[in-house]
Amino acid sequence: MHNHWGGSLELHGGDSNTEDEKSRNMEWDKASISHPHYQNLDETQQSWLLWPDQNKKKKKYVDFGCVVCSRSAVKWTLWTIFIAFLVIGVPIIIVKSIPKHKPRPPPPDNYTVALHKALRFFNAQKSGKLPKNNGIPWRGNSGLQDGSDVPEIKGGLVGGYYDAGDNIKFHFPMSFAMTMLSWSVIEYEHKYRAIGEYDHTRELIKWGTDYLLRTFNSSATKIDKLYTQVGGGEINSTTPDDHYCWQRPEDMDYPRAVQPSSSAPELAAEMAAALASASIVFRDDAAYSKKLSKGAETVFEFARERNKRDSYSKGNKVIYPYYNSTGYFDEHMWGSAWLFYATGNNTYFSLATNQGLPKNSKAFFMIPDLSVLSWDNKLPAAMLLLTRIRLFLSPGYPYEDMLRMYHNVTGLTMCSYLHKYKVFNFTQGGLIQLNHGGAQNLQYVSNAAFLASLFADYLNATGVPGWNCGSDFYPISVLKDFAASQMNYILGANPMNMSYVVGFGSKYPKHVHHRGASTPNNRVKYSCTGGRQWLNAGTANPNIINGAMVGGPDRFDKFKDVRTNYSYTEPTMAGNAGLVAALVSLTTSGGIGVDKNTIFSGVPPMYPSSPPPPPPWRP
């Protein structure tokens, strides 16, 4: 049988099932499968023609709902994320979990280092029952019977500070030292806080002002007496006193007389300045601040009594040779200025700008000695303090004329400190000579450095670039450079390569003229004359009186480190107060510049309030 395609339809022999099985097991023509026509078909289309390749793995997919992804792609993505987490995330977590350390602040400058030490000198000079944290291991309680023989003084005159290397409490320089410390804190509180000395300095001021409040009846509104000194010693004394004896303060066993005065125009005014300035320092303690300002007003009224204008030192042989006052009008200008700042009472401002004070004090005479700030002469400081009012508040009439004069003289005072004008001599090493080449010059130098640095800060704070010396104009940097040059000399940049602040630097005086520092802390009580062995000993002091600024070199830049020569080696309260003020004004720790507003916290507006508007007009 033939079909129409030409092939036979007949079946020839064999098992039909076998033939059928063979036909099913026959392979397709591979050439036909690989034909290009089929290469263009996808798997689904090819599966219509061919059965699936059993040896080829079928891809698996993950359905995310909106997206379908290959399972292998998802797997690789997850592994990549995990590895990235290990490589990047874990280190970040570890770094974040480590406690953060603030970057180290820059090391303190030399002025800050010296300032820390200079403040400790006051701890070494304390009299009375010392606090446990006083920090001077070779000092103990002393002077606990001071004033006990004066029954009208409740509790006696215990406390305060010894003035220098002796054991006398001179109230005049002590008051000046407290005023200078307070002034420096008011102007540079931010710096004291930054270096961690704010609380310490306030405690030192309070130690002094608490004592000063005991030297008169500070609870009264009117007084007729002031105690001016505790202890003393005559020149070439031959009987036991504070100069004849060389004993620690803790071992004093000789009489210590209290000096009263019914007339003290300069001392009382300086006490008023100390108490008034301190009342601003303690403005956060309302009760104590008020007590200080009230005491300042009381003692200043005593200073101003017309029939009591004899000097507190007049004729007193244990005061006159040491802290004799040459006048009181400068203290009256100084005290009234501070009282105005403390109380805001315009009566004090009117007095400070009354033309009688500069006239009687010769403030406008341009006498070189009167441009030198000291425990005796407050004129340059008082005029600078009043210039501050003009620069910052500009009160105008009726104060402007006098304030302008104070401002002009302050500028001329600064000019006198410059080498160019030859008002004062300078040593070959660059130290200005403010006391005609005399002894203990450094205390005056420190004060001048403070005034120059502070005036520069006043000008800078008010946007004034400098000041004039005649036809010459100088930028404020000249003032800062002068102040820095003088303080650098004191700290060791001098021909002797010696620091005149004990404990600062590697080379400083070792034979300081100081009873407590020179006597071994061995619990042996030496008698009045028995202690002289330590005065005359050639060995270094067994106790280092850190921060004490000694008298300093002579006019040839020479210095003799000899204990018996007090002109070179004795420190003083007044000197160290000026040193502290100058150092804090120059340090950059805690920033630069002055506190513009704190000093004016008690000052009312300088201008009268605007009058009320007129009533509406009615026909």
Side-chain angles (χ1 to χ4, degrees):
M1 183 177 180
H2 295 275
N3 59 28
H4 59 274
W5 288 302
S8 175
L9 295 177
E10 291 182 354
L11 300 176
H12 300 282
D15 190 350
S16 62
N17 290 335
T18 301
E19 291 295 331
D20 189 70
E21 185 74 13
K22 286 180 179 180
S23 66
R24 284 199 298 268
N25 291 333
M26 289 176 63
E27 292 184 353
W28 290 89
D29 184 355
K30 294 182 179 180
S32 65
I33 295 176
S34 60
H35 194 279
H37 174 75
Y38 300 110
Q39 290 295 324
N40 296 327
L41 301 179
D42 60 25
E43 282 189 352
T44 304
Q45 291 170 327
Q46 291 183 30
S47 69
W48 295 340
L49 301 177
L50 309 171
W51 60 80
D53 185 356
Q54 297 298 326
N55 296 322
K56 186 177 181 180
K57 287 187 176 181
K58 186 177 180 181
K59 289 187 178 180
K60 297 181 180 180
Y61 297 88
V62 178
D63 188 351
F64 289 104
C66 59
V67 177
V68 177
C69 297
S70 168
R71 181 178 293 181
S72 61
V74 172
K75 186 185 296 182
W76 278 109
T77 301
L78 291 176
W79 273 108
T80 301
I81 294 172
F82 179 71
I83 293 171
F85 172 75
L86 292 178
V87 174
I88 301 174
V90 171
I92 291 175
I93 293 173
I94 294 173
V95 170
K96 293 285 187 181
S97 63
I98 296 175
K100 292 183 179 180
H101 295 282
K102 295 182 178 179
R104 291 183 178 180
D109 55 33
N110 284 340
Y111 303 127
T112 297
V113 175
L115 178 58
H116 287 304
K117 294 183 180 296
L119 288 167
R120 286 178 59 81
F121 170 75
F122 293 91
N123 293 71
Q125 296 301 102
K126 284 181 180 176
S127 178
K129 185 174 176 58
L130 302 183
K132 293 181 179 179
N133 63 346
N134 194 49
I136 309 296
W138 45 272
R139 281 300 325 278
N141 299 334
S142 64
L144 300 182
Q145 299 303 312
D146 285 352
S148 60
D149 57 339
V150 184
E152 64 187 77
I153 307 175
K154 186 178 180 180
L157 289 173
V158 178
Y161 292 95
Y162 300 116
D163 177 64
D166 50 38
N167 299 329
I168 305 173
K169 294 190 290 194
F170 290 102
H171 298 171
F172 195 26
M174 187 193 303
S175 298
F176 173 68
M178 294 303 102
T179 310
M180 291 292 284
L181 288 182
S182 293
W183 193 7
S184 71
V185 170
I186 293 166
E187 302 286 9
Y188 300 106
E189 178 179 329
H190 53 292
K191 294 188 180 185
Y192 278 108
R193 288 185 181 277
I195 65 173
E197 290 286 6
Y198 179 67
D199 292 336
H200 178 207
T201 310
R202 277 170 48 114
E203 185 269 330
L204 295 177
I205 294 169
K206 191 174 187 297
W207 189 269
T209 53
D210 281 351
Y211 176 77
L212 294 179
L213 287 171
R214 296 190 193 106
T215 63
F216 64 98
N217 186 0
S218 58
S219 61
T221 56
K222 188 175 180 63
I223 60 173
D224 59 3
K225 183 188 298 184
L226 185 68
Y227 292 96
T228 63
Q229 184 171 309
V230 176
E234 296 184 29
I235 296 291
N236 299 321
S237 174
T238 57
T239 58
D241 60 24
D242 284 287
H243 281 166
Y244 180 77
C245 298
W246 192 269
Q247 287 179 294
R248 306 184 192 93
E250 294 78 6
D251 298 337
M252 296 181 296
D253 55 6
Y254 47 82
R256 286 170 55 78
V258 175
Q259 305 293 324
S261 181
S262 59
S263 174
E266 64 286 270
L267 171 56
E270 182 57 62
M271 277 192 184
L275 298 174
S277 58
S279 74
I280 302 173
V281 172
F282 291 97
R283 64 196 180 282
D284 57 337
D285 184 344
Y288 189 60
S289 180
K290 184 176 181 180
K291 183 178 181 180
L292 290 170
S293 61
K294 182 180 180 299
E297 291 190 277
T298 297
V299 75
F300 190 71
E301 183 179 347
F302 174 68
R304 291 285 296 165
E305 287 191 37
R306 290 190 176 277
N307 60 337
K308 295 182 178 181
R309 297 288 180 90
D310 287 337
S311 173
Y312 90 105
S313 58
K314 183 178 180 180
N316 193 317
K317 56 188 177 181
V318 296
I319 300 178
Y320 185 90
Y322 311 106
Y323 288 105
N324 176 52
S325 173
T326 56
Y328 59 81
F329 288 104
D330 57 320
E331 278 85 14
H332 286 194
M333 185 189 297
W334 176 240
S336 58
W338 276 117
L339 276 164
F340 172 64
Y341 279 116
T343 67
N345 187 335
N346 277 330
T347 302
Y348 296 117
F349 192 29
S350 297
L351 174 60
T353 54
N354 185 296
Q355 58 183 321
L357 286 184
K359 178 181 178 181
N360 289 309
S361 62
K362 301 180 180 179
F364 301 154
F365 285 35
M366 295 313 302
I367 300 172
D369 286 354
L370 296 184
S371 64
V372 179
L373 174 61
S374 71
W375 53 265
D376 181 38
N377 174 43
K378 317 301 164 36
L379 275 180
M383 287 190 284
L384 177 57
L385 191 63
L386 291 163
T387 296
R388 194 190 209 282
I389 297 176
R390 182 175 192 247
L391 288 171
F392 287 81
L393 299 184
S394 187
Y397 180 84
Y399 310 109
E400 170 59 19
D401 288 346
M402 194 57 62
L403 291 180
R404 184 177 66 252
M405 291 294 293
Y406 290 152
H407 190 171
N408 289 342
V409 174
T410 295
L412 293 174
T413 295
M414 300 303 154
C415 299
S416 73
Y417 296 156
L418 303 185
H419 199 294
K420 174 180 178 179
Y421 299 104
K422 303 185 185 307
V423 176
F424 297 101
N425 293 326
F426 284 74
T427 68
Q428 288 294 319
L431 184 68
I432 191 171
Q433 297 292 291
L434 296 171
N435 65 338
H436 306 284
Q440 299 182 323
N441 181 47
L442 295 188
Q443 59 179 307
Y444 311 110
V445 173
S446 296
N447 290 340
F450 172 60
L451 294 184
S453 181
L454 183 60
F455 184 51
D457 284 337
Y458 285 173
L459 295 178
N460 186 54
T462 52
V464 180
W467 89 111
N468 288 92
C469 296
S471 59
D472 297 327
F473 177 82
Y474 292 98
I476 57 177
S477 60
V478 171
L479 291 170
K480 285 290 186 179
D481 290 344
F482 163 75
S485 70
Q486 299 306 297
M487 296 312 297
N488 292 344
Y489 183 105
I490 292 173
L491 296 180
N494 55 65
M496 296 289 292
N497 293 316
M498 172 175 281
S499 164
Y500 295 112
V501 177
V502 176
F504 180 84
S506 58
K507 183 181 179 183
Y508 51 82
K510 303 295 197 304
H511 303 80
V512 182
H513 184 93
H514 191 276
R515 285 158 175 77
S518 65
T519 306
N521 185 27
N522 55 9
R523 299 185 180 181
V524 175
K525 183 176 180 178
Y526 297 97
S527 66
C528 170
T529 55
R532 289 185 185 175
Q533 62 180 297
W534 306 116
L535 166 65
N536 299 313
T539 55
N541 286 359
N543 307 311
I544 299 176
I545 184 165
N546 277 300
M549 183 180 72
V550 297
D554 60 23
R555 60 194 179 96
F556 302 107
D557 297 306
K558 300 299 182 183
F559 178 80
K560 296 179 181 178
D561 190 8
V562 179
R563 190 177 298 112
T564 53
N565 195 329
Y566 61 86
S567 295
Y568 290 104
T569 59
E570 187 172 22
T572 65
M573 281 278 292
N576 256 72
L579 172 69
V580 166
L583 290 171
V584 76
S585 75
L586 287 171
T587 182
T588 55
S589 300
I592 59 174
V594 293
D595 181 330
K596 296 180 183 180
N597 300 317
T598 294
I599 198 170
F600 298 118
S601 57
V603 176
M606 300 298 292
Y607 303 97
S609 58
S610 300
W617 179 82
R618 291 182 180 180

